[in-house]
């Protein structure tokens, strides 16, 4: 097998499984090559991945050593993701009655979601999260893709208890948008007590749901490692949570002249 | 830039965006290289990807020509995914009361979900689907990952209507598990009439929910291109839908001796 083929294959294998450690032996066996050749291949793969611009290859030494692919996003690409999201949100045909915006097509589009997840993964990579937590429904894809890039599982907080969740813990909370009490529940099996979770969601207005997620996580002894939200409404100024990271800020949605104010978070990295 | 670096970078770029066509000019510009060099690089990348075993690179000629990465899964790897899923489902601590199994940890684990999605993507690649449709909640990750591998968007059918979905179409249906009438709804904006959707879900017992999804899709003039379900319960023998593709079949869940019967679908490819 030629060097360029091995380098390409290594790039591909690592990219398919972000944050998963492969030891040198795995590649030696797969390509029937000596450790010294594979070492050189991996160093070439590192250069290749750097040139591609989606992330980098990290080498860990020692007994549990090996290599892994760490997805990353350059500030330029992150700005493109933000700009694209702003342009999508400004499309006038997504304005619904009551100042609401239709965003399901955005939140369920893998290409758009991947960009947002890359931003969240970069931002929270070092937060030490063992899980990504979200609440059903529209935030699940971006939470799941972020979890994929960080190679950790997802916890989905439910609106109602289901028999298939086993024993659950429930809380009542006030969502930001109304003063009607709502319920959320989490399976007691969802996560190991003492671990940390990153909260990821698609949208936040007052922050009531996010605060609820933080509360229910604390009930099952899980600490919040960070909060990332794709779209944060500028109003109300006083949110129920303080330390959150938006990709874009949503301002006024004007039904009459069909305009949507949306600005990128200029402090992302 | 060395050939092996370019080949690795091409492998990586294509892998990051399955089913997305990149023309030669994109790589010529990115690596400041001549078309003839890039052509050779792409052919080497094709060999590399073949050796890695996750898929293949497809070349399209003509004006809109270029290359794309097509994720694939070998029959051997597919069998490993099935075996792993069977082993997970047999873990005795996931047996809940009433013969139910806790599966959220499986359905929310990116590594496990990716394997299942690779099987669905391979099975339904040529079905001509424009969307992947699912119903909230637990099937969303596998539906979304399948959609990512096929480079098409997801439609999520909701259990209740939401103001942020705009105008919706709703139906009432009988789920397989009970005789209590349930409701599902779809946004009228979710998909273009006349298109095709692949239905992907995590679990099916009687097939009532899947039949409901097919019915609601037909209400918004979307044709079903195929049905893929991760876990299909063997009982009842008569399902409400006929043409479905399971990854594994779930048999008896015995609470007393803590055993779970589960067998892989032996006719996957």
């Amino acid at each position: 097998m030629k060097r360029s083929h091995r380098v390409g294959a290594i790039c591909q294998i690592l990219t398919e499984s972000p944050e998963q450690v492969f030891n040198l032996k795995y590649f030696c066996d797969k390509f029937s090559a000596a450790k010294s050749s594979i070492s050189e291949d991996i160093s070439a793969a590192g250069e290749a991945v750097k040139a591609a611009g989606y992330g980098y290859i990290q080498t860990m030494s020692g007994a549990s050593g090996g290599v892994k692919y760490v997805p990353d996003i350059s500030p330029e690409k992150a700005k493109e993701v933000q700009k694209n999201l702003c342009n999508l949100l400004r499309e006038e045909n997504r304005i619904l009655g009551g100042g609401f915006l239709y965003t399901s097509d955005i939140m369920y589009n893998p290409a758009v979601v991947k960009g947002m997840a890359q931003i969240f993964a970069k931002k929270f990579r070092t937060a030490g999260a063992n899980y990504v937590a979200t609440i059903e429904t529209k935030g699940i894809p971006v939470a799941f893709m972020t979890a994929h890039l960080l190679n950790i599982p997802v916890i989905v907080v439910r609106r109602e208890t289901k028999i298939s969740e086993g024993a659950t813990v429930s809380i009542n909370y006030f969502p930001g948008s109304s003063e009607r009490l709502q319920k959320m529940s989490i399976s007691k099996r969802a996560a190991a007590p003492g671990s940390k979770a990153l909260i990821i969601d698609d949208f936040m207005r007052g922050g009531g749901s996010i605060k609820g997620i933080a509360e229910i996580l604390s009930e099952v002894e899980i600490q919040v490692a960070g909060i990332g939200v794709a779209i944060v409404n500028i109003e109300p100024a006083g949110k129920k949570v303080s330390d959150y990271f938006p990709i874009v800020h949503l301002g006024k949605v004007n039904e009459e002249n069909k305009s949507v104010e949306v600005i990128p978070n200029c402090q992302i990295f």
Side-chain angles (χ1 to χ4, degrees), chain A:
Chain A
M1 210 175 160
K2 280 189 196 166
R3 157 135 300 158
S4 63
H5 295 179
R6 286 200 309 265
V7 172
I10 291 170
C11 287
Q12 221 242 324
I13 290 168
L14 294 177
T15 306
E16 285 280 5
S17 301
E19 286 284 352
Q20 190 184 313
V21 179
F22 291 81
N23 59 31
L24 264 60
K25 197 176 168 300
Y26 173 86
F27 294 115
C28 293
D29 293 349
K30 189 164 178 85
F31 305 128
S32 312
K35 230 169 175 174
S36 57
S37 301
I38 294 294
S39 283
E40 284 178 46
D41 294 344
I42 285 170
S43 129
E47 294 294 322
V49 167
K50 211 188 284 171
Y54 288 93
Y56 54 89
I57 287 178
Q58 194 176 323
T59 309
M60 277 86 49
S61 52
S64 62
V67 286
K68 66 176 184 178
Y69 171 55
V70 183
D72 198 7
I73 184 167
S74 65
E76 295 71 38
K77 280 197 183 157
K79 282 201 183 79
E80 269 174 50
V81 170
Q82 290 182 299
K83 197 178 159 190
N84 180 37
L85 183 54
C86 289
N87 289 340
L88 284 169
L89 290 170
R90 283 188 199 111
E91 291 169 354
E92 56 181 62
N93 57 1
R94 61 175 74 255
I95 300 175
L96 302 170
F100 284 88
L101 282 188
Y102 182 76
T103 61
S104 299
D105 59 326
I106 296 173
M107 296 302 163
Y108 298 153
N109 181 329
V112 181
V113 165
K114 187 155 187 184
M116 300 191 286
Q118 282 167 329
I119 292 175
F120 288 141
K122 178 173 178 142
K123 174 73 186 174
F124 296 112
R125 180 161 308 284
T126 56
N130 310 99
Y131 301 91
V132 172
T134 193
I135 186 161
E136 57 185 350
T137 301
K138 240 159 47 184
I140 297 176
V142 66
F144 183 75
M145 191 55 99
T146 304
H148 171 57
L149 296 177
L150 295 171
N151 195 22
I152 54 178
V154 171
I155 301 167
V156 178
V157 176
R158 305 290 296 252
R159 302 271 180 198
E160 35 184 297
T161 53
K162 293 272 174 188
I163 191 161
S164 57
E165 295 284 319
T168 56
V169 173
S170 299
I171 62 162
N172 290 301
Y173 73 104
F174 285 108
S177 50
S178 81
E179 288 310 302
R180 196 164 57 96
L181 203 63
Q182 288 200 10
K183 187 179 161 178
M184 62 170 77
S185 77
I186 190 170
S187 171
K188 289 188 77 172
R189 295 164 183 249
S195 49
K196 282 184 175 187
L198 179 64
I199 298 174
I200 297 289
D201 213 349
D202 63 313
F203 182 73
M204 175 171 120
R205 191 180 301 266
S209 295
I210 304 274
K211 185 165 176 251
I213 299 173
E215 273 174 25
I216 205 165
L217 287 174
S218 122
E219 286 296 331
V220 290
E221 291 170 55
I222 298 168
Q223 211 181 314
V224 175
I227 300 169
V229 184
I231 307 166
V232 173
N233 214 69
I234 293 170
E235 299 287 340
K239 306 290 190 206
K240 291 184 179 173
V241 289
S242 52
D243 201 11
Y244 55 90
F245 172 81
I247 294 180
V248 299
H249 298 276
L250 184 64
K252 291 218 162 32
V253 174
N254 190 317
E255 278 181 75
E256 276 184 25
N257 63 16
K258 301 275 182 197
S259 71
V260 178
E261 260 178 43
V262 51
I263 47 172
N265 174 8
C266 58
Q267 300 172 317
I268 52 167
F269 301 125

